[in-house]
Amino acid sequence: MSKPTFCVVVPVYRSQATLDRCVQSILSQTVSGGVQCILVDDGGPDDSGALCDAWAARDARVRVIHQQGRGVSSARNAGMQAADSQFLVFLDSDDALRPGALQAALEVQQAYPEDFVLWHYTTRPEDSAPVTTAVESRPRNGLAKLWLDCLLAMPWNKLYRTDWAQQIKFNTQYTLGEDLQFVLDYLALLAVQTPGFCYRVLQSPLTFYDCSRTGTLSTKYHANYCEIWPEHFAKLNAACLTVQCPPADLRQLHRAELTVFAEGVADILRRDPAPLSGIRRDKATAALRSPWLRALLDQMRTERCYSAYYLPCRWRNTQLVYTLAEAKRTNSPLYGKLDWAGYYLLGGRLRRE
């Protein structure tokens, strides 16, 4: 029996309410060569595991792997290693593939066999725009722009060659941002296999991303946030330098990285369980002493790249960082006032674009 064209790997944990929608979106894909679905049940407290088994019992294209509380990265690794297909796609159990998604991705990949195919996504469940194979070509040095356009960091909007993806793994030591590490590792492997590749971005959103849920990694507090993201950004920056991203893109990337880090510092003051008057404030101050942050600020000074967080972080002023982040989070006019005040304190010499 020939291997299917696609395998879709779905990590499953506390997904009772959305799993049927997810699996149905996979099995309803009409695609040349067929599709396999691997559900990796991570042993949640609800009936998700039983639902996985029920799908496998009624559709031979569904395979179930059960494991106990090992986390999403371990689940993806298990599903990826079990895949026996030409291409691999990841999907989260609360999301869904749009009708025609896999066939569109396949047609673009067949048209550009050496390139990396990825696509946009939609957060609107009512989105009924037809899926097309209209594609935008981006060069390899557009890596920073991919991250800035929110197309790089996630694993589920990309088409991987299964045998290549199986040579790498998601890092189970991370609980945040590990997806970016995996994508960068795959791109490094792709550069060896097809050195002249570029990015082919389908303009149609092929994945429905459900951002209505609560309790996700993006909404949880991570005590080591300001330790994890510098590691991810260091790897991203090295990759961007390797492919010689344009200076304008690098400035925007560095500004965005400073924002992510500074807002993580503010989150320590907002949500860390330690007492605010002592350990919590000390922890935020220690984050602002990070060697990675100092190097980033020095690079931004060399680039003449301005950010509202530049001076507060340079001054290691936790209260000012927090005030800025809160003003931005609540859409307060204070953010704009502080932003421009910092710009003029620096003599208006740095680039705001």
Side-chain angles (χ1 to χ4, degrees), residues 4 66 259 285:
H66 294 284
T259 297
T285 302

Side-chain angles (χ1 to χ4, degrees), residues 124-315:
R124 298 186 298 115
E126 72 279 5
D127 192 338
S128 59
V131 167
T132 73
T133 56
V135 65
E136 175 191 3
S137 298
R138 299 197 185 190
R140 281 189 62 194
N141 71 353
L143 183 61
K145 192 69 167 60
L146 282 178
W147 190 86
L148 291 164
D149 290 344
C150 298
L151 289 169
L152 183 68
M154 66 285 287
W156 42 256
N157 68 327
K158 299 169 179 70
L159 187 59
Y160 307 91
R161 295 186 184 275
T162 303
D163 55 347
W164 294 354
Q166 287 171 335
Q167 297 178 40
I168 58 177
K169 291 184 177 181
F170 288 87
N171 190 330
T172 58
Q173 300 303 308
Y174 290 112
T175 58
L176 181 68
E178 69 281 357
D179 299 343
L180 176 61
Q181 292 268 353
F182 177 83
V183 173
L184 291 174
D185 286 342
Y186 185 83
L187 291 178
L189 181 61
L190 190 59
V192 174
Q193 301 288 351
T194 57
F197 83 90
C198 69
Y199 303 102
R200 305 289 179 173
V201 184
L202 280 113
Q203 297 304 285
S204 290
L206 302 192
T207 302
F208 163 61
Y209 171 61
D210 188 353
C211 59
S212 65
R213 56 204 187 275
T214 59
T216 63
L217 284 177
S218 59
T219 60
K220 293 178 181 177
Y221 173 70
H222 291 266
N224 57 349
Y225 181 102
C226 289
E227 300 169 14
I228 291 176
W229 274 113
E231 295 179 13
H232 296 330
F233 285 147
K235 187 166 185 172
L236 174 59
N237 291 342
C240 288
L241 289 175
T242 297
V243 298
Q244 300 179 330
C245 290
D249 290 357
L250 291 176
R251 286 196 301 273
Q252 292 183 51
L253 175 64
H254 296 154
R255 185 181 293 117
E257 290 175 348
L258 181 59
T259 297
V260 169
F261 187 87
E263 292 179 353
V265 173
D267 209 34
I268 294 173
L269 297 173
R270 184 184 303 116
R271 293 196 288 175
D272 194 271
L276 176 60
S277 59
I279 298 174
R280 198 190 317 182
R281 196 172 297 280
D282 290 345
K283 184 175 179 180
T285 302
L288 291 177
R289 293 195 184 102
S290 159
W292 174 85
L293 175 62
R294 181 62 50 180
L296 176 65
L297 293 171
D298 289 346
Q299 180 63 34
M300 291 177 67
R301 180 173 59 191
T302 300
E303 296 170 332
R304 297 178 55 243
C305 173
Y306 177 74
S307 162
Y309 290 108
Y310 179 86
L311 283 177
C313 288
R314 178 69 78 179
W315 293 339

